[in-house]
Amino acid sequence: MTRRRIHYFLAAAVPAMTAFVACKSDSSAIDRVALLERNNPRITEIDTLASLTVGNGGFAFTVDATGLQTFPELYSKGVPLGTQSHWGWHSFPNPENFTHDETLKDYDFGRGRQEPYSVQFNEAGRNKDAANWYRVNPHRLHLGALGFADLKPEQVKDIDQTLDLMKGEIRSNFTVDGKPVSVSTTCHPDADIVAASISSEAMLPVSLRFPYPTGGHCDDACDWTRDSLHTTEIIEADASHALIRHTLDSTSYYVDLAYTNAGIPRLTGVNAVTVTPTAKDWTITATFSPEKPAAAPSAKETAEASAEYWGNFWNKGGVVDFSHCTDPRAKELERRVVLSQYLLAAQCAAPTPPQETGLTYNSWFGKFHLEMIWWHQAQFALYGHEDLLARTLPWYESVAPVASEIANRQGFEGLRWMKMTDPSGTEAPSKVGSFLIWQQPHLIYLAELLYRANPADSVINRYYDLVQGTAKFMASFAEYDGMGNRYVLRGAIPAQETLRASETVNPPFELSYWHYALSTAQKWRERKGEGRNLEWDEIIDKLSPLAAQDSLYLAAETALETYKDTRFTSDHMAVLAALGVLPKSPLVREDLMLNTFDWIYDNWQWGRTWGWDYPTTAMNAVRLGQPERALNALLMDKRTNTYLPNGHNYQDKRLRCYLPGNGGLLTAVALMTAGWDGCEVENPGFPKDGTWDVRWEGIKPLP
């Protein structure tokens, strides 16, 4: 396995683009078991922000201090106890027969035509009602809470709970009314199965409770007061298993409960099933499925499969060891990196893109945001887990007809990817999201990372049409300005969402991303044996350079008040992504970018940022040769850069976990260690002062 160790030397300056030097090898290797053991989360009290998760990337089960979901109501305002999957979705009835066309509103961005966008309406009426319905529906389901029955939090004492990262196992020890209880919780890597091995002299019963969805924008998706709107049936039951069907409106799914040393389950409420053990030591597994499931593995087999899967994950993928560093911040950075790797693999590697709160609880109704997929999943390919990224990208094929229709109705060519959506690809109405464009190049960037990890014709053949269709839209979106003999981008809300579509021209990140993605699409044409697209080459050559004023880059060419109006110095500092997230392009001057970085570093409204803004700033600093300030940005002591005991990136009372922050952290650390194409500085993101002896294995450089 490839390995690099930092070598300290004096350097006058770190050049932004140089020739990449191969990693030096070392006879020793990182002790991965020790790395994980010192970062295993340990919980010793009921802490609603410290719930732990087992998952397989497309299904996740989050537990409280009991190792099960005993107190979902208590944890609902913390990091909730979700049971969620990539397939579990529900829609409320649509008695008014709203259609998606009713969510469309025409806009004129000066391109000589009306462009229909799916938006939210201010005016009362059918259009507003239709937009509201499609924004809420479909929404992701909480599939059921499996926990000890009739316990109260005050009964649970002497808590000692550990997440064993190497095995993907949560071991929970506690007492109930003074009697010891131990629970081992695991998830099967290849099926939506959660298994618990329980030991308790009190022989506590376990209940599976089914909530009705709330349809809330950001909550645990559990309405426990609507039993009359859904039904639970025990279809079959015997001494070893019971098959349960849960039906809500037109949605049905199944749960197969299998158990040892327990009695036959019984309904203990309209939507609750209880299993009572007959011995001190017993097991229970729950298999969740949209169809009637086949016979499930046992609890022991599930635990063994989990241990094998996570052992392979940690032993074969990239890791970073900070234990030899003397800087006091290194220990916390290592913890964040390790736990972020686990959380993203457990929650964000499904056949559909992840939502921003993963499979823990719902944000934006459980829908996923395609501008965030890069932040969730680019790190998979960089840390040697390109197979996890490859689980998701084929979803784009399934929704390409929808993306084609969006582009066509607005008068563009190719594939215009939606922003906020669900497995069907239906565009959720939004006054902001429907006007974003920076999700467009992500598909090309991620496909390129897959190819870099596995430069095979099979990768090119699989994603070629998607890459070309995406580039075709991007080329048609760029407008030729004859007066300036250049191409411009306008009529869009940029990544810095405080700017308006009607007045924004040439946002810097989007310009640079257009340059990178169109250039990469041309490389794919050459790899495929096709000729370069001459129109695309002209656009690449004539894209507008980033606009500057007083030696500082502007938030957009039209944002002349960037450094005077607080609207332009809050939210995402997207200008920094033009060099950092992206490699150096002819559109960017490093001296101006360094000036801009300096101003942002000293003056930005950091209290109004998001979790991925800190990695964005760090990546810009690394490429500019500013490693100390890269670390300062990555570890800045701000609320939205807080990492909880379970590793989740806390934002605020609404978003208690925010996985784009975790993914951005990992991508930034990949850049800080492995560098980028042409970088010849070892560990370019760490100071050469002797305090950062950073060791890593198996990480790939960025473009």
Side-chain angles (χ1 to χ4, degrees):
M1 182 171 291
T2 304
R3 184 175 185 278
R4 177 186 279 172
R5 179 174 179 173
I6 187 169
H7 293 267
Y8 298 113
F9 57 91
L10 295 176
V14 181
M17 290 295 293
T18 41
F20 183 70
V21 173
C23 301
K24 298 180 184 296
S25 62
D26 193 295
S27 59
S28 63
I30 292 173
D31 185 339
R32 296 181 178 225
V33 173
L35 171 67
L36 297 180
E37 285 183 347
R38 63 178 177 260
N39 289 290
N40 285 337
R42 186 181 179 194
I43 309 301
T44 57
E45 62 182 347
I46 292 179
D47 180 350
T48 61
L49 290 175
S51 50
L52 301 175
T53 298
V54 291
N56 58 28
F59 169 84
F61 183 82
T62 300
V63 306
D64 57 32
T66 69
L68 295 175
Q69 298 165 329
T70 305
F71 307 120
E73 293 91 342
L74 177 64
Y75 279 69
S76 65
K77 300 300 182 183
V79 177
L81 310 181
T83 304
Q84 295 196 330
S85 73
H86 68 91
W87 52 261
W89 294 79
H90 166 266
S91 289
F92 294 127
N94 182 11
E96 300 298 322
N97 296 314
F98 295 123
T99 65
H100 195 266
D101 285 348
E102 293 176 285
T103 73
L104 302 180
K105 184 176 182 179
D106 286 337
Y107 288 81
D108 185 351
F109 291 118
R111 289 188 266 254
R113 62 180 185 270
Q114 294 292 316
E115 300 174 24
Y117 287 79
S118 180
V119 299
Q120 297 164 278
F121 289 77
N122 295 324
E123 309 82 7
R126 187 172 175 88
N127 294 112
K128 182 176 183 177
D129 294 341
N132 288 343
W133 192 90
Y134 275 96
R135 189 163 169 81
V136 172
N137 297 288
H139 41 263
R140 199 183 300 261
L141 283 170
H142 187 304
L143 297 174
L146 185 72
F148 290 110
D150 301 322
L151 275 190
K152 294 181 175 62
E154 55 268 24
Q155 293 177 270
V156 178
K157 305 289 185 182
D158 308 313
I159 296 166
D160 188 359
Q161 182 182 55
T162 300
L163 168 58
D164 187 329
L165 295 165
M166 182 61 84
K167 295 181 178 180
E169 176 189 15
I170 300 170
R171 294 188 293 271
S172 308
N173 296 285
F174 54 96
T175 61
V176 172
D177 298 333
K179 296 180 180 179
V181 182
S182 65
V183 181
S184 167
T185 313
T186 54
C187 174
H188 201 284
D190 301 317
D192 296 348
I193 300 172
V194 60
S197 296
I198 303 169
S199 178
S200 170
E201 293 182 359
M203 294 193 292
L204 303 170
V206 167
S207 288
L208 177 61
R209 301 165 58 203
F210 294 98
Y212 191 73
T214 63
H217 178 275
C218 188
D219 64 9
D220 64 353
C222 294
D223 187 338
W224 299 105
T225 70
R226 298 295 186 95
D227 275 344
S228 63
L229 298 181
H230 56 127
T231 59
T232 300
E233 308 165 83
I234 300 177
I235 297 174
E236 56 188 64
D238 59 29
S240 61
H241 93 106
L243 182 62
I244 299 162
R245 180 168 59 209
H246 184 220
T247 302
L248 50 169
D249 303 309
S250 61
T251 300
S252 289
Y253 59 93
Y254 296 85
V255 184
D256 188 272
L257 291 180
Y259 33 83
T260 62
N261 295 331
I264 295 175
R266 58 191 178 88
L267 283 170
T268 51
V270 176
N271 291 291
V273 177
T274 299
V275 184
T276 301
T278 58
K280 172 187 172 184
D281 298 313
W282 67 295
T283 66
I284 185 169
T285 66
T287 303
F288 295 82
S289 175
E291 307 292 340
K292 196 172 180 179
S298 67
K300 180 182 178 182
E301 290 168 334
T302 297
E304 290 172 345
S306 175
E308 181 180 8
Y309 174 82
W310 286 104
N312 287 333
F313 176 88
W314 291 113
N315 285 317
K316 293 181 179 179
V319 294
V320 189
D321 179 355
F322 292 91
S323 65
H324 301 274
C325 302
T326 57
D327 189 297
R329 298 172 293 176
K331 183 177 181 180
E332 171 61 12
L333 182 54
E334 181 183 89
R335 184 187 76 89
R336 294 183 182 192
V337 168
V338 170
L339 295 185
S340 294
Q341 287 181 272
Y342 175 81
L343 287 170
L344 290 159
Q347 302 203 41
C348 299
T352 56
Q355 69 167 318
E356 297 189 22
T357 44
L359 295 169
T360 303
Y361 74 104
N362 280 359
S363 53
W364 288 272
F365 313 101
K367 297 184 179 183
F368 35 87
H369 295 170
L370 292 193
E371 87 278 18
M372 288 293 102
I373 188 173
W374 187 93
W375 297 94
H376 288 282
Q377 294 191 322
Q379 53 83 25
F380 283 142
L382 299 173
Y383 283 76
H385 302 296
E386 58 273 7
D387 57 313
L388 300 185
L389 173 58
R391 289 182 185 177
T392 305
L393 285 197
W395 173 82
Y396 281 88
E397 297 174 343
S398 69
V399 301
V402 183
S404 176
E405 191 277 328
I406 294 172
N408 182 68
R409 78 171 184 236
Q410 295 171 354
F412 301 112
E413 300 177 0
L415 303 171
R416 180 167 191 169
W417 302 111
M418 57 295 298
K419 185 270 194 196
M420 175 175 161
T421 188
D422 59 76
S424 72
T426 301
E427 185 177 28
S430 173
K431 60 186 177 182
V432 173
S434 296
F435 300 96
L436 296 182
I437 56 172
W438 66 289
Q439 72 270 28
Q440 305 305 324
H442 283 346
L443 182 279
I444 296 176
Y445 197 129
L446 294 173
E448 178 69 5
L449 290 182
L450 279 183
Y451 180 79
R452 289 161 63 94
N454 177 26
D457 289 344
S458 59
V459 177
I460 295 293
N461 293 335
R462 180 66 190 269
Y463 299 106
Y464 183 78
D465 289 343
L466 291 176
V467 167
Q468 298 302 301
T470 302
K472 194 173 183 180
F473 165 78
M474 295 175 66
S476 72
F477 191 86
E479 292 182 68
Y480 182 65
D481 170 18
M483 294 291 292
N485 189 27
R486 61 176 186 154
Y487 282 87
V488 301
L489 302 179
R490 64 190 181 100
I493 294 177
Q496 188 175 353
E497 293 181 6
T498 54
L499 281 68
R500 304 181 182 100
S502 60
E503 60 189 38
T504 299
V505 177
N506 285 337
F509 178 34
E510 284 77 1
L511 276 174
S512 298
Y513 215 167
W514 249 240
H515 189 282
Y516 172 78
L518 287 174
S519 299
T520 303
Q522 294 282 51
K523 290 181 183 178
W524 277 58
R525 293 182 67 85
E526 293 173 333
R527 292 166 184 163
K528 184 73 171 174
E530 303 283 348
R532 292 177 68 89
N533 185 307
L534 297 182
E535 178 191 354
W536 298 358
D537 273 340
E538 182 178 0
I539 295 171
I540 293 167
D541 291 341
K542 294 183 178 180
L543 273 172
S544 302
L546 275 58
Q549 184 181 75
D550 299 328
S551 298
L552 296 171
Y553 279 131
L554 299 173
E557 184 176 308
T558 45
L560 300 179
E561 300 297 311
T562 291
Y563 298 98
K564 300 176 183 177
D565 186 340
T566 57
R567 180 162 64 97
F568 301 118
T569 57
S570 62
D571 196 62
H572 310 302
M573 60 293 292
V575 60
L576 298 186
L579 179 61
V581 170
L582 299 175
K584 176 75 168 63
S585 81
L587 307 183
V588 178
R589 281 179 49 181
E590 290 183 43
D591 59 335
L592 298 184
M593 186 60 79
L594 182 57
N595 292 342
T596 306
F597 172 86
D598 289 343
W599 193 96
I600 289 173
Y601 186 85
D602 292 334
N603 298 287
W604 199 261
Q605 297 181 74
W606 291 102
R608 298 175 63 184
T609 55
W610 297 66
W612 56 269
D613 291 321
Y614 305 95
T616 298
T617 306
M619 285 187 277
N620 180 263
V622 174
R623 296 220 199 217
L624 290 171
Q626 304 287 315
E628 179 60 48
R629 293 201 289 176
L631 277 165
N632 291 345
L634 200 61
L635 292 167
M636 194 176 292
D637 185 14
K638 300 293 181 182
R639 170 178 47 80
T640 52
N641 200 34
T642 299
Y643 283 74
L644 300 173
N646 48 27
H648 276 300
N649 177 206
Y650 180 92
Q651 301 296 285
D652 53 30
K653 290 182 179 180
R654 181 184 63 161
L655 292 171
R656 285 88 70 193
C657 66
Y658 186 68
L659 287 160
N662 297 89
L665 167 75
L666 293 180
T667 305
V669 170
L671 187 73
M672 295 166 77
T673 52
W676 58 92
D677 297 343
C679 173
E680 52 180 26
V681 177
E682 299 237 6
N683 284 341
F686 296 96
K688 310 301 184 281
D689 59 3
T691 65
W692 286 95
D693 183 358
V694 180
R695 309 181 184 193
W696 58 272
E697 298 172 346
I699 302 176
K700 299 176 179 66
L702 273 73

